[in-house]
């Protein structure tokens, strides 16, 4: 059975790539257990799709709660076949303005939470097999200003993916990562301001539009990607029965430069 036609846990399910993955799994005929912090957005998601979507409120930065979150997600439909770790946070900070709280927050959501959720799901999947996909970033291998900590967490996620893939292969649990380039989501639209800088709403909008145009120009295909394009690749990787430990790049040619 294709994993996408079974039951898949998706973190960050209400926004960006996570929301697009929810739609892609449902489009493939599967069911989704959506995880996110925003309870109202989760309720709206479940209300839109009826019995095919169940939700679990979760703050992935709260490490101590994740065992219970994983248990609730697995039990929502009586079992799962796969996991897609989409949730992530990025703090755009220059070197010199990075503090311990920022490092800790990004590590918790971008690396520790995927590890603990993957571990819990893997224990459930032992003996029957399944698939885990981590959403990484081309920043894990191609540096950019203001993203040093975020990039480091994604490089750690790449290493985590390969380590889990090797250890879980005897149980027929496949673990892969997808590395997007610049994707037009709320995360990418967050304004990149200098420490202490503030702008009025009109100037802020202009800054964001200029920021997006500059990021698009970095890609040889001359545009940003869409969340739906990344979700299509994620679901394909989720279903590939002879692929594990792979870091799959989809970036409009960004990594060619």
């Amino acid at each position: 059975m294709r994993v996408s036609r079974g039951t898949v846990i998706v973190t960050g399910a209400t926004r960006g790539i996570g929301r697009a993955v929810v739609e892609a799994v449902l489009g493939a005929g599967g069911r989704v257990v959506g995880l996110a912090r925003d309870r109202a957005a989760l309720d709206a998601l479940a209300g839109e799709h009826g019995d095919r979507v169940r939700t679990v409120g979760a703050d992935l930065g709260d490490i101590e709660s994740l065992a219970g979150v994983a248990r609730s997600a697995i039990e929502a439909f009586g079992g799962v076949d796969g996991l897609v770790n989409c949730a992530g946070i990025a703090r755009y900070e220059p070197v010199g303005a990075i503090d311990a709280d920022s490092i800790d927050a990004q590590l918790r959501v971008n690396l520790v939470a995927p590890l603990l959720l993957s571990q819990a799901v893997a224990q459930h999947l032992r003996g029957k097999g399944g698939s885990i996909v981590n959403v990484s970033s081309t920043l894990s291998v191609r540096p950019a200003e203001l993203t040093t900590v975020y990039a480091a967490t994604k490089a750690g996620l790449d290493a985590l993916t390969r380590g889990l893939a090797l250890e879980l292969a005897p149980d027929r649990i496949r673990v892969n990562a997808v590395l997007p380039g610049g994707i037009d989501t709320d995360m990418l639209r967050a304004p990149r301001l200098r420490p202490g800088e503030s702008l009025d709403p009109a100037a802020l909008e202009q800054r964001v539009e200029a920021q997006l145009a500059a990021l698009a120009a970095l890609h040889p295909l001359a545009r940003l990607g869409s969340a739906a394009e990344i979700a299509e690749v994620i679901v394909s990787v989720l279903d590939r029965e002879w692929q594990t430990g792979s870091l799959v790049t989809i970036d409009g040619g960004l990594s060619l430069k």
Side-chain angles (χ1 to χ4, degrees):
M1 182 192 74
R2 290 185 178 180
V3 170
S4 65
R5 294 178 181 172
T7 301
V8 181
I9 298 171
V10 179
T11 72
T14 60
R15 299 171 61 188
I17 293 173
R19 177 59 186 263
V21 170
V22 171
E23 300 297 337
V25 170
L26 294 174
R31 302 183 298 188
V32 170
V33 183
L35 273 57
R37 287 185 299 176
D38 188 334
R39 186 70 256 180
L42 285 173
D43 290 344
L45 180 65
E48 182 178 341
H49 294 290
D51 289 342
R52 296 180 63 198
V53 172
R54 294 183 182 170
T55 62
V56 177
D59 177 357
L60 299 186
D62 181 3
I63 300 303
E64 292 73 19
S65 73
L66 292 184
V69 167
R71 185 165 52 251
S72 295
I74 291 167
E75 293 174 353
F77 281 109
V80 300
D81 303 287
L83 165 68
V84 181
N85 285 305
C86 288
I89 59 171
R91 304 276 177 85
Y92 298 113
E93 301 161 321
V95 173
I98 300 167
D99 61 28
D101 287 342
S102 176
I103 296 169
D104 182 62
Q106 291 177 85
L107 278 171
R108 282 173 175 258
V109 175
N110 299 348
L111 183 59
V112 179
L115 168 57
L116 295 179
L117 292 175
S118 295
Q119 179 174 253
V121 170
Q123 290 297 106
H124 169 73
L125 293 175
R126 288 188 190 276
K128 71 171 188 172
S131 183
I132 297 170
V133 177
N134 295 317
V135 178
S136 181
S137 169
T138 53
L139 288 168
S140 70
V141 294
R142 184 186 186 279
E145 293 180 351
L146 307 182
T147 64
T148 296
V149 177
Y150 178 79
T153 65
K154 293 300 187 177
L157 187 61
D158 291 352
L160 171 66
T161 297
R162 293 171 65 82
L164 289 174
L166 180 63
E167 190 163 345
L168 297 175
D171 291 301
R172 296 183 298 108
I173 301 169
R174 295 169 283 107
V175 188
N176 295 285
V178 171
L179 283 61
I183 308 303
D184 190 356
T185 63
D186 291 346
M187 179 183 288
L188 205 67
R189 287 177 172 269
R192 304 186 185 190
L193 303 176
R194 295 183 296 275
E197 182 181 17
S198 63
L199 298 172
D200 63 55
L204 190 63
E205 183 177 353
Q206 290 178 350
R207 173 70 65 85
V208 170
E209 291 305 314
Q211 174 181 299
L212 293 175
L215 291 169
L218 294 174
H219 298 71
L221 292 182
R223 69 171 177 87
L224 299 173
S226 71
E229 288 172 315
I230 304 306
E232 180 181 3
V233 174
I234 289 169
V235 170
S236 174
V237 172
L238 194 67
D239 285 340
R240 293 176 190 168
E241 295 185 355
W242 205 58
Q243 183 166 7
T244 197
S246 295
L247 308 178
V248 180
T249 298
I250 173 169
D251 67 354
L254 178 63
S255 56
L256 297 173
K257 290 188 172 183

